């Protein structure tokens, strides 16, 4: 049984994180993958002189889209339809699943899929199965996740929590290849052979979209393996599902977005394949093309002026790689298809703040996510905004007796006076003694304070405060200065 | 259909109320034009340096690059296929026929007359041109249809030889998108190296579902 499948899928972040923090293999895999991508991203964003102006333009383009979303969606619909595409609108996941399941019906009972986090949001594969259609994931990482009955843990590299040995075991079992090697080359080749015939014979494909181009009615898909091109070129029917925020104004805007996305996502100057197509063409590609535009509460996010920028996201995953919390736990602790900093702000908003309320707290507010975001989403600011909303939504009496609220009031009282602060520090240094472990860390605090150490270790108060150190330093050097 | 119409009206209505206005296209157009674009639009390198950069970036992706004079394309193509030991080569219907003139009995060119996917799968490789190259990213821009063929041609075979006119190499991505405006109603594929994945332990593996080997012949 996989660790991840045993997890409690309704647990809040600190609870869900505990078993993951004890999974050394998982943590090593996540650490390695995020280190590699971060390093590559750093090289690729510093080798060009105009990275910051590109981010500025990316942010402006995406914010402009949101401010004119109705205009651009209508334009996209008109142009796509004129080019032979069919545009559908879905208010929620149930409606989207109904539309797609009906369109995907075919005699083989199968549909091939390009990696799409939006279809994870829909839980589309389950809906298709209920409609008698078996969805086949064709992205290597998604295939690993699907064959392992696992869940994706990263936007760009959904199986980064698995190492080569774990992938080999899975392929040996699921593809019946007892003599398969464990080199990434062997595993990639196995996936190629496994999927080849499916690409050539499956009549229906389902994709997400990186960008919908309002000006032309075109769609752009960014990928590396060629599985995307297979899906959007070979089948007779192609169904593309996209959140309404995926639209961009003009073809030309790709000159910014196709620079910032690959450099941020995988640390490449350009990813191997970008496909752009508009509707259908005679003798080239599918004969039937559908686009499903999904709301699923994106309009609620749009209505909140302080949360709106969340929808600027172009799904590069850079914030996940940079986040000190994600790097410890991996994606599964978020219990959400959108993990990491972007997930911490997107998930609760897409659930009208009824789910994922612990996620805005799964952050140290260090700002690393904002710094790497290619479209400059101020994630820490949105996190604080959402924390405010969560606190405000609590009933007043509960708020008064909330341990955090009590602690904050006590802190406020202490910080108001230097004497009180000094006393509190002295008291703290004595009181903490029994809790400091041999490792030098506090691993468990008693009583109400225990909430803090449930999923994190704590540095003890240092033997000397800054003020004490400063006063002592001045006393010893005073006369010479 | 009323349900579908309702969904459309409802979503657009929600957007308009979220934005607190009724949008009109002219204002969106003006706002779009006002977006500051202070990133590098045009390149600064001379043609020789630009070409060096392009070749360097292609090498970075593991692409084999050869050069030839414009009048010697056919010979260079034939030589490449022999070097790779590729015998049955797929070509788009409207390919420049002079490119094929130096092949002898050892190379068989198969013209794409609505071939089945299985037939494409059984070819050793494919030969196409492209409309432009991007030096900064080592990218080939293919506009499908006409001389570059339909999309499946450069996808299913395991080997792709792409011929590019040296004069069509641009330095920057924005320059390329300006040039691609002319093709934006056709399918476009931007290709940067052979298909690849880094999904297993972030180890880059070349050759997944698209062509596993990509050669570029620069003419001019």
């Amino acid at each position: 049984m996989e660790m991840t499948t045993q997890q409690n899928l309704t647990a809040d972040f600190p609870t869900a994180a505990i078993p993951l923090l004890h999974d050394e293999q998982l943590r090593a895999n996540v650490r390695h993958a995020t280190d590699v991508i971060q390093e590559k991203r750093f090289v690729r964003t510093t080798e060009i002189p105009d990275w910051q102006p590109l981010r500025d333009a990316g942010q402006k383009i995406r914010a402009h889209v949101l401010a004119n979303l109705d205009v651009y969606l209508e334009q996209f619909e008109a142009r796509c339809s004129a080019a032979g595409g069919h545009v559908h609108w879905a208010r929620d996941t149930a409606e989207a699943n109904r539309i797609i399941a009906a369109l995907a019906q075919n005699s083989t009972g199968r549909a091939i899929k390009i990696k799409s986090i939006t279809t994870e949001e829909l839980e589309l594969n389950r809906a298709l199965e209920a409609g008698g259609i078996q969805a086949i994931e064709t992205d290597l990482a998604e295939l690993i996740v699907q064959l392992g009955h696992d869940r994706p843990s990263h936007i760009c590299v959904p199986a980064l929590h698995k190492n080569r040995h774990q992938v080999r075991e899975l392929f040996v079992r699921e593809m019946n290849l007892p003599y398969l090697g464990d080199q990434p080359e062997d595993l990639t080749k196995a996936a190629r052979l496994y999927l080849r015939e499916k690409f050539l014979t499956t009549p229906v494909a389902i994709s997400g979209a990186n960008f919908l181009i309002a000006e032309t009615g075109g769609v752009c898909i960014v990928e590396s393996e060629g599985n995307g091109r297979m899906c959007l070129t070979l089948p007779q029917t192609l169904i593309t599902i996209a959140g309404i925020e995926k639209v961009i104004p003009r073809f030309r805007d790709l000159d910014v977005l196709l620079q910032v996305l690959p450099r941020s996502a995988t640390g490449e100057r350009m990813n191997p394949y970008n496909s752009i197509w508009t509707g259908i063409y005679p003798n080239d590609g599918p004969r039937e093309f559908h686009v499903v535009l999904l709301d699923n509460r994106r309009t609620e996010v749009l209505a909140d002026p302080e949360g709106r920028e969340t929808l600027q996201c172009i799904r590069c995953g850079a914030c996940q790689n940079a986040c000190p919390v994600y790097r410890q736990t991996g994606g599964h602790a978020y219990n959400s298809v959108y993990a990491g900093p972007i997930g911490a702000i997107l998930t609760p908003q897409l659930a009208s703040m009824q789910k994922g309320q612990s996620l805005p707290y799964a952050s140290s507010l260090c700002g690393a996510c904002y710094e790497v975001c290619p479209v400059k989403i101020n994630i820490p600011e949105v996190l604080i905004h959402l924390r405010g909303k969560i606190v405000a939504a609590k009933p007043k009496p509960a708020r008064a007796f909330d341990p955090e609220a009590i602690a904050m009031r006590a802190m406020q009282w202490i910080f108001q006076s230097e004497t009180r602060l000094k006393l509190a520090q002295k008291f703290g240094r004595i009181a903490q003694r029994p809790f400091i472990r041999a490792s030098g860390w506090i691993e468990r605090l008693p009583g109400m304070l225990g909430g803090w150490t449930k999923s994190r270790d704590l540095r003890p108060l240092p033997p000397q405060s800054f003020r004490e150190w400063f006063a002592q330093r001045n006393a010893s050097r005073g006369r010479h200065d | 259909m009323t349900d579908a119409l309702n969904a459309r009206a409802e979503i657009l209505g929600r957007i308009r109320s979220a934005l607190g206005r009724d949008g009109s296209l002219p204002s969106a157009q003006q706002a779009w034009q006002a977006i500051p674009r202070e990133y590098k639009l045009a390149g600064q390198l001379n043609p020789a340096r630009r070409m060096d950069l392009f070749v360097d970036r292609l090498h970075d992706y593991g692409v084999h690059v050869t050069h030839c004079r414009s009048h010697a394309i056919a010979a260079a193509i034939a030589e490449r296929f022999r070097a790779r030991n590729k015998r049955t080569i797929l070509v788009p219907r409207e390919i420049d026929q002079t490119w094929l003139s130096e092949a002898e009995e050892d190379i068989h060119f198969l013209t794409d007359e609505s071939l089945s996917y299985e037939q494409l799968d059984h070819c050793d490789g494919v030969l196409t041109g492209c409309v432009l190259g991007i030096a900064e990213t080592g990218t080939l821009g293919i506009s499908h249809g006409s001389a570059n063929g339909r999309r499946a041609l450069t996808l299913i075979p395991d080997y792709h030889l792409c011929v590019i006119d040296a004069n069509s190499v641009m330095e920057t991505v924005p320059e390329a998108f300006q040039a691609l405006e002319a093709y934006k109603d056709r399918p476009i594929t931007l290709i940067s190296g052979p298909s690849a994945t880094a999904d297993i332990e972030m180890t880059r593996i070349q050759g997944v579902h698209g062509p596993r080997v990509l050669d570029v012949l620069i003419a001019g």
Side-chain angles (χ1 to χ4, degrees):
Chain A
M1 229 12 217
E2 305 282 337
M3 181 94 197
T4 44
T5 55
Q6 289 172 341
Q7 239 184 273
N8 177 357
L9 293 182
T10 55
D12 63 5
F13 182 86
T15 313
I18 291 168
L20 302 169
L21 289 172
H22 290 106
D23 186 339
E24 295 292 333
Q25 183 64 64
L26 175 111
R27 292 183 69 177
N29 297 351
V30 171
R31 177 71 54 94
H32 171 73
T34 51
D35 276 349
V36 172
I37 317 178
Q38 282 219 99
E39 172 66 31
K40 285 167 78 180
R41 181 203 160 272
F42 178 78
V43 172
R44 292 289 167 252
T45 56
T46 48
E47 73 173 14
I48 52 173
D50 55 342
W51 180 247
Q52 294 308 333
L54 280 168
R55 285 179 76 212
D56 285 332
Q59 188 253 328
K60 294 267 161 44
I61 291 167
R62 294 294 298 142
H64 167 77
V65 164
L66 297 177
N68 298 277
L69 193 56
D70 52 338
V71 174
Y72 286 127
L73 284 172
E74 283 192 299
Q75 196 182 9
F76 172 79
E77 181 189 39
R79 302 286 154 83
C80 178
S81 307
H86 301 277
V87 177
H88 309 259
W89 302 70
R91 281 165 283 206
D92 51 32
T93 56
E95 192 162 34
N97 284 335
R98 217 163 39 235
I99 294 168
I100 299 169
L103 294 172
Q105 291 302 326
N106 70 83
S107 57
T108 65
R110 292 192 314 205
I112 45 177
K113 274 187 70 194
I114 311 182
K115 175 174 78 182
S116 153
I117 195 158
T118 311
T119 65
E120 302 281 348
E121 183 185 328
L122 298 177
E123 297 187 66
L124 177 67
N125 292 5
R126 208 187 298 174
L128 287 173
E129 208 174 309
I133 299 288
Q134 182 205 359
I136 300 165
E137 296 290 350
T138 64
D139 170 76
L140 178 54
E142 282 292 344
L143 181 67
I144 294 167
V145 167
Q146 186 177 42
L147 292 177
H149 308 288
D150 198 352
R151 291 182 298 144
S153 69
H154 188 276
I155 286 180
C156 260
V157 203
L160 63 64
H161 56 286
K162 289 261 186 280
N163 68 19
R164 63 182 72 185
H165 309 293
Q166 294 167 312
V167 175
R168 179 191 172 270
E169 259 176 58
L170 188 64
F171 280 12
V172 165
R173 195 171 71 223
E174 298 292 325
M175 297 180 184
N176 194 21
L177 299 168
Y179 305 109
L180 183 63
D182 67 357
Q183 294 304 303
E185 287 87 348
D186 304 326
L187 301 167
T188 304
K189 204 169 164 192
R192 177 185 167 99
L193 291 172
Y194 179 78
L195 289 171
R196 194 76 183 182
E197 176 264 339
K198 297 179 173 70
F199 284 134
L200 299 182
T201 58
T202 308
V204 174
I206 298 166
S207 83
N210 290 96
F211 305 107
L212 308 175
I213 307 161
E215 176 197 17
T216 59
V219 181
C220 175
I221 283 189
V222 173
E223 52 132 356
S224 301
E225 296 175 8
N227 66 307
R229 293 180 66 198
M230 291 280 182
C231 289
L232 61 91
T233 309
L234 305 188
Q236 281 130 40
T237 301
L238 172 62
I239 307 160
T240 295
I241 169 88
I244 50 173
E245 82 283 11
K246 289 287 180 76
V247 71
I248 61 170
R250 299 197 189 181
F251 180 79
R252 191 215 154 157
D253 293 310
L254 291 172
D255 77 349
V256 175
L257 298 166
L258 289 185
Q259 289 196 77
V260 294
L261 179 55
R263 286 180 197 261
S264 298
T266 49
E268 289 171 298
R269 295 188 176 106
M270 193 64 90
N271 49 289
Y273 297 134
N274 293 313
S275 298
I276 304 164
W277 75 96
T278 308
I280 53 170
Y281 304 92
N283 308 317
D284 187 350
R287 270 167 267 166
E288 224 184 280
F289 173 52
H290 299 270
V291 178
V292 181
L293 299 172
L294 175 70
D295 180 352
N296 197 29
R297 295 195 163 128
R298 283 161 174 77
T299 45
E300 278 182 31
V301 185
L302 189 71
D304 176 358
E306 287 172 84
R308 180 182 298 171
E309 64 181 304
T310 311
L311 299 177
Q312 285 168 209
C313 177
I314 57 171
R315 309 283 190 265
C316 70
C319 61
Q320 304 183 325
N321 306 323
C323 177
V325 176
Y326 177 94
R327 287 163 58 78
Q328 297 298 325
T329 63
H332 290 153
Y334 293 78
N335 267 339
S336 150
V337 293
Y338 301 99
I342 187 64
I345 59 173
L346 189 53
T347 302
Q349 293 188 88
L350 287 183
S352 303
M353 308 305 288
Q354 297 305 303
K355 248 181 62 187
Q357 295 101 325
S358 65
L359 296 184
Y361 294 90
S363 164
S364 62
L365 301 176
C366 72
C369 47
Y370 179 34
E371 223 160 274
V372 297
C373 178
V375 292
K376 297 177 82 167
I377 301 171
N378 194 330
I379 295 177
E381 226 171 73
V382 180
L383 283 167
I384 292 169
H385 168 64
L386 297 180
R387 288 182 186 187
K389 274 180 126 173
I390 290 162
V391 172
K394 283 183 190 164
K396 271 236 164 89
R399 240 189 292 170
F401 296 106
D402 183 63
E404 194 189 20
I406 294 168
M408 285 300 162
R409 279 199 298 274
M411 292 290 262
Q412 194 180 10
W413 182 75
I414 290 166
F415 279 127
Q416 275 166 358
S417 131
E418 194 190 336
T419 330
R420 277 178 228 154
L421 180 63
K422 263 193 203 161
L423 279 170
Q425 284 168 335
K426 278 201 179 115
F427 172 75
R429 260 176 247 146
I430 298 163
Q432 72 183 355
R433 272 186 210 148
F435 305 104
I436 302 174
R437 307 289 295 265
S439 60
W441 289 85
I442 296 174
E443 292 176 7
R444 192 162 298 148
L445 283 172
M448 287 202 309
L449 297 172
W452 184 263
T453 48
K454 201 162 84 174
S455 54
R456 30 168 131 60
D457 297 340
L458 192 63
R459 277 276 181 222
L461 291 171
Q464 199 177 32
S465 75
F466 175 77
R467 279 163 186 268
E468 287 162 359
W469 170 81
F470 195 75
Q472 195 182 37
R473 174 180 168 276
N474 277 352
S476 62
R477 302 173 50 181
R479 258 162 289 138
H480 310 291
D481 287 346
Chain B
M1 282 323 278
T2 51
D3 207 33
L5 285 174
N6 284 345
R8 181 183 188 278
E10 205 176 308
I11 293 170
L12 286 170
R14 284 184 204 162
I15 293 170
R16 286 180 187 130
S17 88
L19 297 174
R21 60 149 193 80
D22 58 326
S24 58
L25 198 53
S27 72
Q29 224 160 27
Q30 277 172 9
W32 181 83
Q33 272 152 357
I35 292 172
R37 292 171 191 267
E38 281 151 24
Y39 53 92
K40 191 165 81 178
L41 293 170
Q44 283 116 28
L45 300 178
N46 66 39
R49 295 279 302 280
R50 184 167 62 228
M51 186 53 71
D52 288 347
L53 184 66
F54 183 54
V55 171
D56 176 74
R57 298 291 145 95
L58 286 170
H59 283 158
D60 219 43
Y61 294 128
V63 174
H64 188 279
V65 182
T66 40
H67 298 262
C68 71
R69 307 300 295 267
S70 302
H71 58 79
I73 295 177
I77 286 173
E79 190 198 300
R80 206 73 294 275
F81 288 131
R82 284 187 197 113
R84 289 281 184 192
N85 196 25
K86 303 290 179 192
R87 300 299 175 212
T88 310
I89 305 298
L90 196 60
V91 291
R93 212 161 34 182
E94 290 165 60
I95 196 161
D96 185 339
Q97 290 295 322
T98 62
W99 288 5
L100 315 182
S101 59
E102 292 283 325
E104 316 207 339
E105 289 83 67
D106 59 338
I107 298 167
H108 172 58
F109 287 111
L110 183 63
T111 305
D112 175 34
E113 304 279 359
S114 309
L115 297 175
S116 71
Y117 296 148
E118 284 70 24
Q119 284 170 302
L120 301 187
D121 200 23
H122 286 116
C123 290
D124 291 336
V126 59
L127 168 67
T128 72
C130 64
V131 295
L132 57 82
I134 310 173
E136 273 195 341
T137 57
T139 302
L140 304 166
I142 296 191
S143 161
H144 296 278
S146 67
N148 301 323
R150 57 182 167 137
R151 285 173 284 177
L153 293 197
T154 54
L155 176 62
I156 296 179
D158 204 23
Y159 170 75
H160 181 195
L161 174 58
C162 187
V163 180
I164 181 167
D165 175 353
N167 294 317
S168 70
V169 176
M170 330 228 152
E171 185 180 327
T172 69
V173 174
E175 286 171 317
F177 270 91
Q178 213 170 355
L180 285 171
E181 286 269 352
Y183 304 95
K184 68 187 173 191
D185 293 327
R186 302 289 318 158
I188 294 171
T189 307
L190 301 179
I191 296 178
S192 307
S195 65
T197 185
D199 276 346
I200 299 169
E201 295 187 13
M202 300 312 297
T203 308
R204 188 182 166 91
I205 305 298
Q206 296 218 333
V208 196
H209 304 296
R212 284 186 281 194
V213 179
L214 173 65
D215 285 352
V216 171
L217 175 60
I218 302 171

